[in-house]
Amino acid sequence: MEFVFPVLLIAVALIAVITLAKSVRIVPQQRQDVVERLGRYKRTLNPGLNILVPFVDAVRTKVDMREQVVSFPPQPVITSDNLVVSIDTVLYFKVVDSVRATYEISNFLQAIEQLTVTTLRNVIGSLDLERALTSREEINRHLSGVLDETTGRWGIKVTRVEIKAIEPPPSIRDSMEKQMRAERDRRAAILNAEGHKQSQILSAEGEKQAAVLRADGDRQARILQAEGQAKAIRKVFDAIHQANPSQKVLAYQYLQALPQIANGTANKVWIVPAELTKALEGMGGALGGLSQMVGDAPSKEASDDATAVEREAAEAAQAAAAAAAEIHNEVRVAEAQASGGNAPQGLPAPEPVSPASLVNDTSDQRERG
């Protein structure tokens, strides 16, 4: 008897602990527990502290009320052009009614997976490969609508369906890569041709504008040059008429030009007339007549400098006579070399001209004028 009482006490305490454990249930947040009493649904335990009838009430399932993500394995699907593609999907759902999710279907995850596969095959089967690859949004929207309508009576809300990958066969991938490469090459060739065309057009436009500008610049330069020459001629003409040059000045200018004519590198043969004085006299007379026609009369300043002008004219005449004599000698030497040392007998040798005669002829012509 001494040992029976402690054993009974321990058994009563153990039963009390077990009864307390079975009668008290703590449910965490975002979870619901479905309770059955004697095998029949009794109530749903909400988050917090809940009291059960021990040994009568029992928790059937613990349902997670948070949104869940399920990734299904790749499924082979045949397109409308008889190509087998592998499609990998991801499903987002949440339980909105724990009682229906427990009693309406035995395994809602498996049911959702099979429903997704069958719906996906129906959708992809009506599309060809190219459209299936480019119509993911349409496929996702169709799957979401079908799954949401079917799983609604199970107490489940499908929030989103995503297709992770659509893998065509390797041979189809190679063909697609070749097609895309050819398309990119074609676009590159078109862009290169367009760029070359634009560059040619711009180059032609630039050359055209440059030619127009060069022509305009040349025209302006010619106009300015002509205007400059016209102004220069007008200035010289006005200066000559204002200076009123005399016959002596004109003869002096002619005598100054004779040595330059004789020293020209292109003058190989220079024919000196025998009557050089008469030629100078005729030139002076012509110039004198021209001065009389234009009303030329020597001014007072020109008369004062007459002596200096005569002296310069004499020096110029001497230089011209010396150049004429030198050229005459060169002509005779050249004729002798051409005839082998025998000068032609038909033409008489011209008489040499002296500087004094040039000066005297000029003075006589001035006195006669």
Side-chain angles (χ1 to χ4, degrees):
M1 293 296 296
E2 295 178 358
F3 297 99
V4 173
F5 183 74
V7 171
L8 291 176
L9 185 59
I10 293 173
V12 171
L14 184 60
I15 292 172
V17 170
I18 294 174
T19 302
L20 182 62
K22 285 184 173 292
S23 61
V24 176
R25 174 70 64 176
I26 299 176
V27 179
Q29 185 68 30
Q30 290 295 325
R31 199 185 80 179
Q32 290 182 352
D33 294 350
V34 178
V35 177
E36 293 180 349
R37 178 172 293 180
L38 299 178
R40 186 178 180 180
Y41 170 74
K42 177 61 178 177
R43 62 192 178 104
T44 302
L45 301 181
N46 294 319
L49 181 62
N50 295 275
I51 304 299
L52 301 177
V53 177
F55 305 107
V56 176
D57 294 338
V59 176
R60 167 70 183 271
T61 55
K62 299 176 182 179
V63 181
D64 192 350
M65 305 300 293
R66 294 174 298 179
E67 187 172 1
Q68 303 180 39
V69 181
V70 179
S71 178
F72 299 134
Q75 300 293 329
V77 181
I78 300 176
T79 61
S80 62
D81 48 357
N82 297 325
L83 293 176
V84 179
V85 295
S86 179
I87 299 180
D88 192 4
T89 57
V90 177
L91 181 67
Y92 297 83
F93 72 96
K94 65 183 299 184
V95 178
V96 295
D97 192 343
S98 58
V99 177
R100 286 191 294 174
T102 303
Y103 294 103
E104 293 293 335
I105 190 169
S106 60
N107 191 344
F108 60 85
L109 287 178
Q110 185 178 3
I112 292 174
E113 179 181 358
Q114 296 301 320
L115 182 60
T116 302
V117 171
T118 55
T119 306
L120 190 61
R121 287 178 178 176
N122 292 332
V123 174
I124 298 298
S126 61
L127 303 175
D128 56 2
L129 178 60
E130 184 175 359
R131 188 177 176 186
L133 293 174
T134 58
S135 303
R136 293 194 177 188
E137 292 295 332
E138 181 181 354
I139 296 172
N140 294 338
R141 186 169 57 254
H142 189 76
L143 283 175
S144 298
V146 173
L147 292 176
D148 188 42
E149 181 182 359
T150 305
T151 58
R153 60 177 182 269
W154 300 340
I156 297 173
K157 174 68 175 178
V158 176
T159 58
R160 191 176 183 84
V161 179
E162 291 290 341
I163 296 178
K164 291 196 300 183
I166 299 177
E167 297 292 337
S171 59
I172 301 301
R173 287 200 301 268
D174 295 339
S175 300
M176 293 173 61
E177 290 177 359
K178 292 180 181 179
Q179 181 181 0
M180 294 302 297
R181 191 180 300 111
E183 181 67 19
R184 291 190 180 94
D185 293 339
R186 183 182 68 84
R187 292 178 182 177
I190 292 174
L191 291 177
N192 289 332
E194 289 290 339
H196 184 67
K197 175 183 175 182
Q198 292 295 330
S199 66
Q200 293 292 332
I201 292 174
L202 293 178
S203 299
E205 289 290 339
E207 292 177 358
K208 175 184 175 181
Q209 294 180 3
V212 171
L213 291 177
R214 282 195 296 268
D216 186 54
D218 191 11
R219 181 177 65 85
Q220 293 292 337
R222 289 177 181 271
I223 292 174
L224 293 177
Q225 186 177 4
E227 290 178 355
Q229 291 179 356
K231 290 181 179 179
I233 293 172
R234 190 180 299 109
K235 288 287 185 182
V236 173
F237 184 79
D238 294 340
I240 291 174
H241 281 277
Q242 290 176 4
N244 196 12
S246 64
Q247 180 182 358
K248 296 178 181 180
V249 176
L250 297 176
Y252 174 66
Q253 293 292 331
Y254 178 75
L255 291 175
Q256 281 185 338
L258 288 178
Q260 298 179 0
I261 297 174
N263 292 330
T265 57
N267 297 330
K268 302 300 181 183
V269 178
W270 191 53
I271 299 174
V272 179
E275 300 295 336
L276 181 60
T277 58
K278 294 182 179 181
L280 292 176
E281 181 180 357
M283 181 64 69
L287 295 176
L290 180 62
S291 64
Q292 293 177 2
M293 292 174 63
V294 298
D296 186 12
S299 62
K300 184 178 180 180
E301 290 79 2
S303 298
D304 295 338
D305 297 337
T307 305
V309 171
E310 291 179 357
R311 184 170 57 254
E312 293 180 0
E315 294 177 357
Q318 291 178 0
E326 182 179 357
I327 293 173
H328 178 69
N329 293 330
E330 291 180 358
V331 170
R332 296 191 61 184
V333 171
E335 290 178 352
Q337 292 179 357
S339 60
N342 298 322
Q345 301 298 328
L347 296 175
E351 295 180 1
V353 180
S354 62
S357 63
L358 295 175
V359 175
N360 293 330
D361 290 341
T362 307
S363 300
D364 294 342
Q365 185 179 358
R366 184 178 65 252
E367 290 175 359
R368 287 194 301 268

